[in-house]
Structures are given as structure tokens and as C-alpha cells.
Amino acid sequence: ARPDALPRDLDGVRIVVSAGGTREQLDPVRFLGNRSSGKQGYALARVAAQRGAEVTLVAAHTVALPDPAGVRVARVSTAAELESAVNAASLDADVVVMAAAVADFRPAARAEHKIKKKDDGSAPTVVLERNPDILAGLVARRRPGQLLVGFAAETGDEHGSVLDHAHKKLKRKGVDLLVVNAVGEGRAFEVDENTGWLLSADGAEQRIPLGAKTELATTVWDAVSELLRESGR
Ligand code: CTP
Ligand code: CA
């Protein structure tokens, strides 16, 4: 759609979007990372700005992507940096969307020098510790009326389907909306198309058809716009 064809329903709404994957340093040359491309978060930021929002994009590591027009971009690397940047930007935000792939664990120690091989043929053990749950922190400190949106990449297993896990995660996380992607078989990561469901805190479940990440972004902002309207903003 041409930008001038889009609704301006997010005019003046202050929005924070996180995108990309964090990197947790092990030593000066190595890190634990993930396959997030950042494309979905960038699409969310771009579409929100086109619909009139004041957008801050907190970008961790992504494939090469142009800065979305009219968006403030803050670059970070680790989950700890992402947390500081998101928390600062969220203080006066109306909506926060956590599309970033945040590492759940980081090396408990970061070696000052490159870790060397030993002559005895042994391999080092990497000890991990938990990263903070950024979204949980946002939920705990939520401003009145602030909307919080999470993402979840799920696989079905013997304990339940993708949607069973996702409904539980939405409750557990305490978010207003949860975007669910079914992962595996080449879906969601490093591709331009995305599919899944949009779950709401009231239990509503909307199927998001396979389409461009721009279209998923549009579905999310339509739902956010509706919630803002209901809350009288
Ligand atoms: N998230 C976060 N901080 C973390 C981990 C995840 O803010 N340390 C956010 C993600 O950006 C996403 C949502 O939480 O919006 C759900 O992430 P997910 O990895 O699906 O959930 P987890 O609670 O980490 O559960 P799991 O053990 O299934 O990975
Ligand atoms: Ca996780």
C-alpha cells in the first residue's frame, strides 16, 4: 500500500518496538546468538510510523536493513543493553512491542582474552546464567493504559499444540496481545513471509494468513488501534 493510502489511526501514539537478535559475548571474538533477521520488527516500526505513530526502534543484531523512515533507531547488542534501552524508551510509551529475539541465557563470565585451546585436548565448559525477562519487567511496571505486545515462536510437542502453548504463554506473560509464529520447517526465521496467530488477553484468536511481514505488521497495528480506541485514547 502507498503510505498516503494508510490510515493515520496511530497519530501521535508513542510506540517502542524491539527487533533483531541479541548477542551474548563469551570472549572478545565469540558470542551466543540466534537467527533473528529483525525484518518483522522493522516492518512493525515502519508501518506504525506510516500510520502516524512516534516510533522508537530498539534494534539488536539484524541482517542489513534500511532504517525505517521517520523512526528513531537505537542500536544495542546484548540482552542487558536491550533491556536498558527498552526500559528507558518505554517510560512514556503508549505501546511496547517486543519483537526482538532475546537470549534467555548468557555466559556467566565473559573472558577478557580469547579462549585458547589446551594441549591436553580438553574442551572448556561454558556456564550460563539467566538473562532478565524484559517483557516481564515491562508488565510489572506497566503505566496505566499502556499496551504490551509479545511475540512467541512455538513448536507443538507432546504437552500440547502451538496454540495451547501460546495461550498459556499469553496468560503467564500478562501481555495484551501475543503474536504466535509456528516455527520449524524453514518458517519465520530469515524469510520475508510470516504466518501465525494473534492472541488477545480476552481469549480471542485471529489467524494471520501467510503473507508479507508488512501484512502481519498491519494486523498487529489494527488490533492495537482497536484496543486504544476501546480504552478511549
Ligand atoms: N522476552 C523478553 N526477555 C527475555 C526473553 C523473552 O522480553 N529474556 C520476550 C520476547 O521478546 C517475546 C516474549 O518475551 O516478546 C516471548 O519470548 P519467548 O522466548 O517466546 O518466551 P520465554 O518466556 O523466553 O519462554 P521460552 O522458555 O519458551 O523461551
Ligand atoms: Ca525465550
Side-chain angles (χ1 to χ4, degrees), residues 18 20 79 82 86 97-105 130-138 149-154 169 172-173 175 177-179:
S18 69
L82 186 80
V86 165
V97 180
M98 283 296 296
V102 184
D104 292 325
F105 314 104
R130 288 279 282 266
N131 266 330
D133 186 327
I134 301 166
L135 192 50
L138 292 172
V149 182
F151 269 70
E154 297 285 342
K169 185 166 279 185
R172 193 166 68 236
K173 292 259 167 189
V175 292
L177 295 168
L178 187 72
V179 181

Side-chain angles (χ1 to χ4, degrees), residues 2-229:
R2 298 188 331 277
D4 60 355
L6 293 174
R8 298 285 294 181
D9 56 342
L10 299 176
D11 233 338
V13 178
R14 288 161 301 185
I15 293 177
V16 178
V17 177
S18 69
T22 65
R23 286 184 182 173
E24 311 301 315
Q25 292 298 141
L26 186 55
D27 70 15
V29 297
R30 301 185 178 102
F31 56 83
L32 296 179
N34 62 67
R35 290 167 53 197
S36 173
S37 70
K39 288 176 182 174
Q40 186 60 70
Y42 272 60
L44 282 157
R46 190 181 64 246
V47 172
Q50 287 171 344
R51 288 166 68 157
E54 287 172 29
V55 184
T56 299
L57 175 62
V58 179
H61 296 272
T62 67
V63 298
L65 295 171
D67 281 0
V71 169
R72 211 191 113 226
V73 183
R75 290 214 162 65
V76 298
S77 181
T78 64
E81 290 166 10
L82 186 80
E83 181 183 39
S84 307
V86 165
N87 284 350
S90 298
L91 286 176
D92 65 353
D94 302 304
V95 184
V96 184
V97 180
M98 283 296 296
V102 184
D104 292 325
F105 314 104
R106 66 182 166 218
R110 175 177 173 171
E112 195 186 335
H113 304 291
K114 186 185 164 195
I115 300 167
K116 294 287 195 184
K117 294 198 294 292
K118 285 190 179 164
D119 292 337
D120 64 4
S122 67
T125 300
V126 177
V127 178
L128 301 177
E129 62 186 18
R130 288 279 282 266
N131 266 330
D133 186 327
I134 301 166
L135 192 50
L138 292 172
V139 169
R141 290 186 313 276
R142 180 203 293 264
R143 299 187 334 137
Q146 189 177 53
L147 294 179
L148 300 174
V149 182
F151 269 70
E154 297 285 342
T155 55
D157 60 19
E158 67 276 19
H159 302 294
S161 68
V162 168
L163 276 176
D164 295 335
H165 287 301
H167 278 291
K168 283 186 198 132
K169 185 166 279 185
L170 178 132
K171 284 238 163 56
R172 193 166 68 236
K173 292 259 167 189
V175 292
D176 300 286
L177 295 168
L178 187 72
V179 181
V180 185
N181 292 131
V183 290
E185 298 143 47
R187 284 178 296 200
F189 285 108
E190 297 166 334
V191 294
D192 291 320
E193 301 210 310
N194 228 350
T195 182
W197 294 266
L198 182 64
L199 308 188
S200 310
D202 66 6
E205 187 178 287
Q206 188 183 342
R207 172 104 189 130
I208 303 170
L210 181 66
K213 289 187 176 181
T214 304
E215 282 159 40
L216 190 148
T218 296
T219 304
V220 170
W221 295 130
D222 286 350
V224 164
S225 179
E226 178 73 32
L227 288 173
L228 290 172
R229 208 166 29 248

